[in-house]
Amino acid sequence: MSYPPDRRRSEGLLETGARALTAALLVGGVTAVMWVLELFDVYADDQRLDRLGIQPRDVADLPDIFTAPFMHAGLGHLTANTLPFLVLGFLAAVRGIAKFLAASLIVIVVGGLGVWFTSSANTLGSSILIFGFFGYLVGRGVFERRLADIAIAVGVVAVYGTMLLGVIPSDPAISWQGHLFGLIGGVLGAWFLRRDTSAA
């Protein structure tokens, strides 16, 4: 079935707009939940939610790899993570919600297990996901080789490339393990979720 060019263009714009709105609502909603949790933790719970971070090599604590990326060690920690989480999360989600959710799960598992095996301290914070989104977006540019993905990857590296220094051990209070394994999880997500071009 064919449509006049202006109709195809308007339908494409509507689809893109709907996808962008969904991505913004999803990432914004997760961010809002993180803020509600941290405000409750700081002002009403005496920061007991920090126990939902990853305790290295504690088998009973393994389920906390799924909660740790959404908890923070104070409002300053969350404030520092909020903008990159929003920007990189939106860019990752706007390219496809289903793949974004799958990639996020891969990042959480790979990043969480990496921290669980190699860290020496309780680890929490959305930087696992932030580095994962970075790796996912750059990986899509490399593996998908579509103009939009390449452009996003170049822009992300130009703006956030210096965050890669965070994978180098430096400050004991910063989990370079979470950064490194989150980044690896993002690249793996981009690889596993890439398009199948074998039939082309």
Side-chain angles (χ1 to χ4, degrees):
M1 182 178 293
S2 60
Y3 298 103
D6 57 335
R7 183 175 176 182
R8 288 201 307 270
R9 189 179 302 112
S10 63
E11 288 178 348
L13 289 173
L14 283 173
E15 181 182 346
T16 301
R19 193 165 59 236
L21 178 60
T22 303
L25 290 173
L26 175 59
V27 176
V30 172
T31 305
V33 169
M34 290 192 298
W35 271 95
V36 169
L37 287 171
E38 192 58 31
L39 287 168
F40 172 79
D41 193 33
V42 170
Y43 294 110
D45 202 40
D46 197 26
Q47 296 191 313
R48 284 183 293 179
L49 290 181
D50 290 358
R51 293 178 299 182
L52 296 177
I54 300 168
Q55 295 289 345
R57 294 169 296 282
D58 180 352
V59 175
D61 197 65
L62 271 173
D64 288 350
I65 68 173
F66 296 102
T67 58
F70 306 101
M71 305 298 164
H72 291 81
L75 294 176
H77 186 201
L78 177 55
T79 299
N81 282 346
T82 294
L83 184 59
F85 183 87
L86 285 169
V87 173
L88 295 174
F90 172 78
L91 290 174
V94 80
R95 300 300 294 150
I97 299 298
K99 285 189 175 183
F100 167 74
L101 294 174
S104 297
L105 181 59
I106 292 171
V107 168
I108 288 171
V109 172
V110 172
L113 288 176
V115 168
W116 190 84
F117 277 110
T118 65
S119 182
S120 59
N122 181 51
T123 300
L124 67 168
S126 58
S127 55
I128 291 175
L129 281 168
I130 292 168
F131 276 77
F133 295 155
F134 181 96
Y136 176 68
L137 290 166
V138 173
R140 279 185 64 95
V142 173
F143 304 135
E144 297 284 355
R145 299 183 183 178
R146 289 188 291 195
L147 183 59
D149 291 309
I150 293 171
I152 290 173
V154 170
V156 163
V157 170
V159 176
Y160 288 104
T162 56
M163 68 185 278
L164 290 175
L165 295 174
V167 304
I168 301 172
S170 55
D171 186 343
I174 297 175
S175 174
W176 63 268
Q177 297 96 332
H179 296 172
L180 175 61
F181 288 103
L183 179 69
I184 292 171
V187 174
L188 288 175
W191 171 259
F192 286 123
L193 299 169
R194 71 193 187 282
R195 290 177 301 159
D196 181 9
T197 57
S198 60

